[in-house]
Amino acid sequence: MNGMVIIGAGECGTRAAFALREHGYTGPVTLIGAETGLPYERPPLSKPGEAGVRRKPICDAAALAGAGIDYRPGTVVQGIDPAARRVMLVGGSLGYDRLLLATGARPRRLSCPGADLAGLHRVRNKADCDALIASFTGSQRFAIVGGGYIGLEAAAV
């Protein structure tokens, strides 16, 4: 039994892994995340901290291990073979019985005049937010395109 593989260790993927356990699923659960470190909440990224932006973990390593979740940080998925029920990883592959894609979304690239200007930031992860916060140099004017949660949080900061 290959069990459940979840691609995406953000809020959705991590909570789904724990929900499987809470609802009695006893098979293998593998949680794959491209970023290193523990899964973290993205909305608090807009809040500057002492060393860049705050990274608020969803859980700690002990919680993942205690729930029997095989967490694989820093793992890049190159493709999926649905016929063979395999996830192709950099350096190997992984079989699955069930697969959940919880990769989230990426900011859309603008196609309007000025979209290629220096100083344009797209925000998806901690590194993006660190770069945005580092670019603040006093009294400047900013335009935020996107009224999603992270855009609104960034505007509040």
Side-chain angles (χ1 to χ4, degrees):
M1 174 182 213
N2 293 313
M4 181 76 175
V5 172
I6 301 170
I7 300 173
E11 190 84 33
C12 178
T14 303
R15 301 277 183 213
F18 281 105
L20 284 165
R21 294 300 189 220
E22 290 164 9
H23 290 282
Y25 180 75
T26 59
V29 175
T30 303
L31 179 63
I32 298 172
E35 292 183 71
T36 58
L38 291 168
Y40 62 93
E41 296 178 6
R42 296 200 189 276
L45 290 178
S46 62
K47 304 292 189 261
E50 293 176 14
V53 296
R54 283 189 331 184
R55 185 172 175 158
K56 182 180 176 191
I58 295 169
C59 61
D60 60 20
L64 289 162
I69 297 168
D70 177 14
Y71 177 48
R72 299 186 184 192
T75 302
V76 176
V77 174
Q78 291 185 309
I80 299 168
D81 182 347
R85 291 182 173 259
R86 296 206 69 75
V87 174
M88 305 321 165
L89 308 170
V90 171
S93 68
L94 177 66
Y96 64 86
D97 294 320
R98 299 273 187 221
L99 178 66
L100 173 63
L101 298 178
T103 57
R106 297 213 181 279
R108 186 177 68 159
R109 296 217 174 255
L110 298 176
S111 59
C112 61
D116 58 348
L117 292 175
L120 181 68
H121 295 271
R122 290 173 188 86
V123 177
R124 173 171 162 74
N125 58 33
K126 183 179 183 310
D128 296 338
C129 289
D130 281 334
L132 175 64
I133 298 296
S135 75
F136 296 161
T137 58
S139 61
Q140 295 176 332
R141 295 176 61 115
F142 290 89
I144 297 173
V145 178
Y149 195 75
I150 292 177
L152 294 174
E153 288 285 312
V157 170

